[in-house]
């Protein structure tokens, strides 16, 4: 499991770099990387804990359901 997280980490950071200030949701990261949701979430948890990534909410008026979390590179 750790090998999987370590192998995808640079890809997640590269995808977030390309996204710029808008950031990406887990769903968008899954689509761009072709990785499973749990792997993406674990990588993001590690990156949040180290301060590499920050999390915010993407609220769209008039859209029902949960507000998606958006991940962006910190700094």
């Amino acid at each position: 499991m750790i090998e999987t997280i370590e192998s995808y980490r640079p890809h997640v950071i590269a995808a977030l770099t390309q996204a710029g200030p808008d950031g990406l949701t887990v769903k968008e990261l899954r689509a761009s990387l072709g990785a499973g949701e749990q792997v993406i979430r674990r990588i993001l948890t590690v990156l949040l804990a180290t301060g590499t990534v920050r999390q915010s909410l993407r609220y769209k008026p008039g859209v029902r359901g949960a507000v998606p979390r958006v991940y962006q590179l910190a700094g």
Side-chain angles (χ1 to χ4, degrees):
M1 176 60 75
I2 302 233
E3 296 86 15
T4 304
I5 291 174
E6 289 301 320
S7 67
Y8 275 102
R9 184 189 297 201
H11 300 292
V12 170
I13 292 173
L16 291 173
T17 302
Q18 292 173 355
D22 294 335
L24 294 172
T25 64
V26 172
K27 184 176 180 180
E28 293 166 341
L29 280 168
R30 282 185 58 210
S32 67
L33 297 176
E37 181 177 346
Q38 291 302 316
V39 171
I40 298 291
R41 290 190 184 278
R42 286 185 177 123
I43 292 168
L44 289 171
T45 301
V46 170
L47 292 174
L48 281 167
T50 59
T52 308
V53 171
R54 63 183 173 154
Q55 174 184 337
S56 61
L57 300 175
R58 184 184 290 167
Y59 176 73
K60 293 182 181 178
V63 177
R64 298 179 69 170
V67 178
R69 295 176 183 178
V70 177
Y71 299 91
Q72 305 160 324
L73 287 179

